[in-house]
Amino acid sequence: MTAVVCLPTYNERENLERMVAALADKGVSVLVIDDNSPDGTGRLADRLAAQNGHVRVLHRARKEGLGPAYLAGFRRALEDPESQLVLEMDADFSHDPDDVPRLIAAAQDADLVLGSRYVAGGSIGSWGIVRRFVSAGGSWYARVLLGVGVRDLTGGFKCFRREVLEALDLEAIDSRGYAFQIETTYRALRAGFRVAEIPITFVDREHGGSKMSPSIVLEAIWKVPLLRLRALAGRL
Ligand SMILES: Nc1nc2c(ncn2[C@@H]2O[C@H](COP(=O)(O)OP(=O)(O)OP(=O)(O)O)[C@@H](O)[C@H]2O)c(=O)[nH]1
Ligand SMILES: [Mg+2]
């Protein structure tokens, strides 16, 4: 199946070229979505696209968070009728490019595949206690409040069948950070799609800085009950 890996970048100059190279033999095309990174990642992406047939670039004017970047990427990916699978992946090597074929294979039997840190066989590498708590606590909080069985709701290594993205009301999604990951998976579940989790090992970034911020965590805290209320009101 034809797969597009959406790779959002903000100041990922030290990671992008290696990531593009690592994805070259995975049988996927790559769509870099750069939010005008001050470090020149966008220019690097253009050069890589000129050199590699499997790479395209979507430039956006400014940083608005992961959610809007992915939504723009999804729309672009879906414009090509050949794209049957659309993946989300971090550009910082926290997600192992060698796991991409496993996600794609699992999409044979599921509509949305999640690379999961919190199922048997999944793990987190070198994160400190605070990041672990925020991540595990966030997934637990969302799972309980939303009443779903998914273990890793905040992860960003995902593979959507095109039908899922076509069915979701992308216009209505306004989450920016972790909440975006929770919201897309929850909407897919609500729409009756089959969601599968496969174990991954998540490793901390080695190069570049984190874009994680308190506002990203706060957004998820208030957004989760709002999502549940909207669902209960039949508006999701
Ligand atoms: N286009 C775009 N990409 C973003 C934005 N924020 C984050 N990213 C990218 O999204 C991916 C995940 O962001 P990270 O900063 O790694 O967030 P994280 O994984 O929660 O945090 P760390 O791994 O600790 O840095 C990376 O490829 C980032 O470059 C944004 O506003 N716009
Ligand atoms: Mg990261």
Side-chain angles (χ1 to χ4, degrees), residues 25-228:
D25 63 352
K26 303 292 184 286
V28 298
S29 65
V30 177
L31 176 62
V32 179
I33 307 140
D34 186 69
D35 281 2
N36 204 4
S37 297
D39 78 345
T41 301
R43 284 191 300 282
L44 171 61
D46 283 336
R47 179 166 68 72
L48 295 171
Q51 292 166 349
N52 300 275
H54 70 293
V55 181
R56 287 176 300 155
V57 190
L58 174 59
H59 294 281
R60 304 180 71 249
R62 61 177 187 279
K63 177 166 166 50
E64 290 179 315
L66 262 186
Y70 268 130
L71 291 174
F74 293 165
R75 289 193 188 96
R76 175 63 61 86
L78 293 174
E79 277 172 13
D80 181 352
E82 299 279 294
S83 314
Q84 286 160 313
L85 300 174
V86 180
L87 287 87
E88 287 183 16
M89 185 178 179
D90 290 359
D92 60 1
F93 282 90
S94 286
H95 301 143
D96 185 347
D98 289 338
D99 285 336
V100 165
R102 293 175 53 232
L103 263 78
I104 290 175
Q108 296 284 348
D109 301 312
D111 302 305
L112 169 56
V113 180
L114 309 177
S116 178
R117 299 159 290 185
Y118 303 122
V119 292
S123 62
I124 295 179
S126 49
W127 265 2
I129 188 89
V130 174
R131 281 300 294 265
R132 277 173 196 270
F133 179 78
V134 169
S135 172
S139 264
W140 176 84
Y141 173 79
R143 187 171 78 233
V144 171
L145 261 75
L146 298 176
V148 299
V150 171
R151 310 299 302 191
D152 193 340
L153 279 161
T154 55
F157 199 11
K158 304 167 64 156
C159 177
F160 297 89
R161 279 173 172 264
R162 111 173 258 128
E163 300 78 44
V164 179
L165 295 178
E166 284 173 341
L168 297 189
D169 183 4
L170 298 183
E171 307 291 327
I173 299 177
D174 55 6
S175 307
R176 288 171 187 276
Y178 287 137
F180 176 79
Q181 306 300 2
I182 299 168
E183 179 165 2
T184 47
T185 296
Y186 186 51
R187 283 179 182 267
L189 286 166
R190 296 278 310 169
F193 289 109
R194 298 165 301 168
V195 178
E197 290 184 273
I198 63 166
I200 58 156
T201 296
F202 180 99
V203 294
D204 207 359
R205 66 158 71 237
E206 281 181 19
H207 303 284
S210 178
K211 279 106 229 168
M212 159 76 170
S213 68
S215 71
I216 286 177
V217 178
L218 284 173
E219 181 200 34
I221 291 173
W222 65 263
K223 203 63 191 262
V224 167
L226 188 67
L227 285 172
R228 187 67 197 263

